[in-house]
Structures are given as C-alpha cells and as structure tokens.
Amino acid sequence: MHLSDHDLRQLDEAALANLTPEQARALLSKAIEDLKRARERLAQNPTNSSRPPSTRAPWEQSEAQEPEAPVASTQSAEEKPGAESESESEQKEPQKSPKGKETEKPAGRPGRRKGAPGHSRTQQLPIDAEQPHAPHCCAICGEPLDASHQSRAHNAHYVLDLVPPAAGGSGLVVRQTKHIYFETLCPCGHWSRALPGRCDEDVSWSVKLSECHLAGPTLVAFICALTQRMRLSRAKVREFLSDWLGLSVSTALINQCVHEAARAVEPVVEQEILTTVRNVELAYADETSWKEHGKLLWLWVFTCATATLFIVGRRTREMVQQVLGEGFRGWLMSDGYWAYRELDQRLRCLPHIIRKARALEEGFDAEGRVLGRHVLDVIATVMQAVYEARGAPPQGGGLRKRHAPMLEALLEHCLRLADGRHDKSRALARELLNDWDTFWVVLDHPDLPLSNNEAERALRHWVIARRIGMGTRTEQGTRAFALLASVIETCRKRNVSPWPYLAEVIGQRRKGLPAPPLPAPAT
C-alpha cells in the first residue's frame, strides 16, 4: 500500500485544496492502486488464493463454485490449519507471592515429607480377577522352579483395562485386575522374585515403559484415540472417562499414557515408516506452521501409498534431508518451497499455480489479467493431455514435444514479466521460471500425479486439531504428537484400525520385547 492509515487520517477537503494539479494526479494514482489491491484482497476466496474453505461465511457455502480444473482444490501450507492440547501438568507456572512476584520453591528432597497426609486414589473399584506371577527359574543357580516350591507374595499392583464384551454383548467393559508377584525359594537357598516387565531406560523420555501401570494397554490406546483422533483435551478426556466409564483418573495420568504410547511406537516410526518413505517411487510432502509453547515451528508430512510420516521442526533444508536422506531417488510431489529444489526428481502441484493465476485473472491489473488467463489456458491444456494419455498413450512422439510451442510462448511471457512493475505478476512469473521443468514433467510421465492432494489430506485432520489445541506445550509433547500421528495415519492408509495395533505395541514394549511390525495393507 502507498498510503498508510496515518496518511489517510490527514487527507480531507482542505488538504486536497492545497495540492497542485500535478500533486493531485499523483495522489489519485496512488489511491487507485491502493483501491485495486484492497478490492483484490476482498475478492480472495478458496478458489483463487490459499485461503482454506473454512474461511467462507456460512451464507456463502451454498454459493461456492468448484474450481474449473479437474484436480481437486488443495489448501496451502501457510493457511492449513491440526493438534491436541497438552496436559496442564506439562506447563508448571512458578509460584507467586501475594504481591504478584515470582518466588522459587524451597530446596529439599523430592517426595512426600514425613507426617504429611499424602495423596492416593480415592476411587475403590471391585477386583474382577487376580493374575499371579511366579519366577520360572532360580536367579542364582538357574534351576527351574514350580508350584511345589515354597512361595510367598512380595508385591502387587492393580491394572484397569478395557476388554471386549462377553458373547452377544456390546459396549465397553472396564475390568480391574490385581497382579500379584511371588518370590520362590530354590533348594540352593535363594529366594527368586517375579518382577513386572519393563523396557530399558531412555534418557530422552521422562516416562517409563513398565507393566506396573494403572492403565492397561487397551485403555491407553483408547485414551490416545480420544486425544489424537477425536481432538479432545486432557481435561475433556478425564470428563469423558468419568461420565461414561466411571473411571476417576487425573489429567497427569492421561498425559502420561499418551507419552508412554508415543515412546512405545518410536521404534516402529524410525525403523518401518521412515524406511518405507525413503524407498518409495513416489512421495508427497507438505508443511504447515506449528506452535510449541509460543515458539514457531513447522509440522512436516511425507506420505506415500502405504505410509505417512510426521515430524515437527524448523523450516529448513536439513529437515528434508533428515527425512529423505541423501540417497532418495524417487519422485517427490511438493509445493514451491525452496528447500525441495535440491532433489533430482521433483513435481510441482498445479492447483497451487491455478489459484494464483485465477487471482491475477480476476484482479484489476491489465498485465496480470493477461498472464493469469495465459497460465490457466496452458495448465488446462496440459491436464487434458495428461488425462487422455493415461487412457490411451499417444503414438509417435511425446506430449512434451507436441506441446513445445505452447510452453515456449508461456516461457517468453514469463521472461518478459520477471522484472515487471506489477508485483503479483512478477511473483508468479518468477515462480514458474524457478521450477519450470517440475510443472511439465507430467507430459513426459503422464502416470505421475498433478496435485499434492495426498499430503494436503494427510495434514488436514491434524491442522484442525492444531486450531483447537493451539499446538503443544513441551518438546516431549511435540515429539509424542508426531510419533502417534505417524502410526495412526499409516494404519489408516493401510485400511486397518490403529487402536488394536497400538495396544499390542504397548503391551509388548512394556514387557521389554520388540514392537510388532505394522499391519499389512488390508485387501
């Protein structure tokens, strides 16, 4: 804009009367240019800009026109808005004195002080079953132990879990099991103890993986479904469990369950999903903004036919290299972000260019309208040729050769406007020139996609969740979100339910065993 709010406040009839004719014409030229830009901004909608469909007013929804292009409209990375809110227990605010000043907590040993009443579970639920655990062999001499040897209980804990209903029943059934651990006397004189299974310590996680946990594997998977898939906050999950299942648990326990599940699936993401994405022939990539306790980061997605990987980090070239590695040789469909340009085989999403060209065509600048119409005509021709080639490949000569004159004309048009006066025309011309071959490689390979809709759809749910939860609050919470989202979306890609698999992974990892492999795609 040429005229700021400060400038406009000073303009009135008296100020205009003091201008010479030349000054008045110069002011009129600036005002017309500003008016055109303002009108173009008001005319922006999901078909000619990166605004998401949700920005339409309710009364405009029925009047919305679908894009003319055959490819479905996609959202841009800047406007794509999902993610769950982290537990309030993750963000501890410093104590404040009555005057409002922050005070440090007195130093001392952690835990309950002697004589303090302490806190424990107040809800008393009936015990549905008891599960004994006894050692199988002596820890010293290795001799087998059985029920004939002297035993005594040395520890016990309770586990709440969800189990399938009885035959002919329906609904969720909460079951509390008392796990009792025995120690057995060996003839050698050593008392060997049975202990709850546990995974090795990991300094990068503040949660442990152990069978000694109040929430069972299926209940943990159910909590993850409520937080990750249903987009409920920790407080809302607590309310739901209390109202519908009669379980009284804290938000801290709910948050611990989510992070424990994420730690359990971490090897699956790093060993299976990441390897799959790196070795596919065609992958889709996109990124959108993400907030971690007020810090701006980016949520990246890399997806293919059978796997989806999410990762949160900075918007840099290193993030792309971290995921795809140095040896990625497949095709990558992406937007125009410069970090992807080092890849040898890259595709550009045509609907992104269609929206920008349509905005120029509907604008007030004559030069921009001509360029917008030209770009739309070329893309429509290219897309029609690709669709026809997919049905019946052309005989004699490739599509690129047949449409070379049309592309040369557009190339010359972009070169003329690359340093033009109109900023939007100049930006579109330079964007086309910077990635020229990536737009038309589909003429050489008609089987390749025309849009980045796969990545856009993979992000959509989590972007909506981000709008609700405003991102995450801690580094571990961000990491947990990305790991769980990767497993959930990968299972959905394979048309299998992620929740039984997630419960199985948690159960195995709590025992210190490797995670089971991902389910094969359902036929």
Side-chain angles (χ1 to χ4, degrees), residues 452-464:
N452 200 23
N453 281 355
E454 288 294 324
E456 301 280 354
R457 284 193 288 266
L459 274 178
R460 180 174 176 78
H461 168 80
W462 309 105
V463 171
I464 295 174

Side-chain angles (χ1 to χ4, degrees), residues 251-266:
T251 55
L253 176 67
I254 294 170
N255 189 70
Q256 182 186 14
C257 290
V258 173
H259 288 202
E260 183 186 9
R263 182 187 167 185
V265 301
E266 185 176 33

Side-chain angles (χ1 to χ4, degrees), residues 32-194:
I32 291 175
E33 184 68 23
D34 286 355
L35 179 61
K36 287 182 177 181
R37 293 192 180 189
R39 289 291 183 87
E40 289 178 353
R41 186 175 301 173
L42 286 173
Q44 287 182 354
N45 58 65
T47 68
N48 62 18
S49 70
S50 57
R51 292 176 181 265
S54 58
T55 59
R56 290 187 185 274
W59 55 85
E60 295 176 346
Q61 298 291 340
S62 60
E63 302 175 1
Q65 296 291 332
E66 291 296 328
E68 296 179 4
V71 177
S73 174
T74 59
Q75 291 178 317
S76 93
E78 286 89 11
E79 296 293 336
K80 287 183 281 239
E84 307 298 340
S85 61
E86 292 295 317
S87 168
E88 297 176 359
S89 64
E90 289 192 47
Q91 183 182 1
K92 296 182 180 180
E93 297 183 356
Q95 295 179 346
K96 295 186 177 180
S97 64
K99 295 182 179 180
K101 296 183 179 179
E102 295 181 359
T103 59
E104 295 183 357
K105 293 183 178 180
R109 295 180 61 185
R112 182 173 66 89
R113 303 295 184 269
K114 289 184 177 181
H119 299 277
S120 60
R121 286 182 54 80
T122 59
Q123 185 182 30
Q124 300 294 327
L125 296 175
I127 299 174
D128 300 295
E130 290 187 355
Q131 178 68 46
H133 301 271
H136 299 292
C137 62
C138 178
I140 299 298
C141 65
E143 288 295 321
L145 301 174
D146 53 35
S148 63
H149 295 82
Q150 182 182 353
S151 298
R152 62 191 180 193
H154 73 90
N155 198 3
H157 69 88
Y158 300 92
V159 174
L160 294 171
D161 209 355
L162 301 177
V163 297
S170 62
L172 298 173
V173 178
V174 180
R175 186 181 182 89
Q176 180 170 237
T177 303
K178 183 178 180 180
H179 292 261
I180 306 174
Y181 295 86
F182 290 88
E183 56 182 5
T184 303
L185 179 62
C186 179
C188 73
H190 179 75
W191 287 90
S192 297
R193 287 185 169 183

Side-chain angles (χ1 to χ4, degrees), residues 205 265-276 278 309 479 483:
W205 289 93
V265 301
E266 185 176 33
V268 178
V269 175
E270 294 181 349
Q271 298 170 13
E272 292 193 58
I273 298 180
L274 181 59
T275 302
T276 301
R278 285 181 173 178
L309 176 70
R479 184 180 175 191
L483 290 170

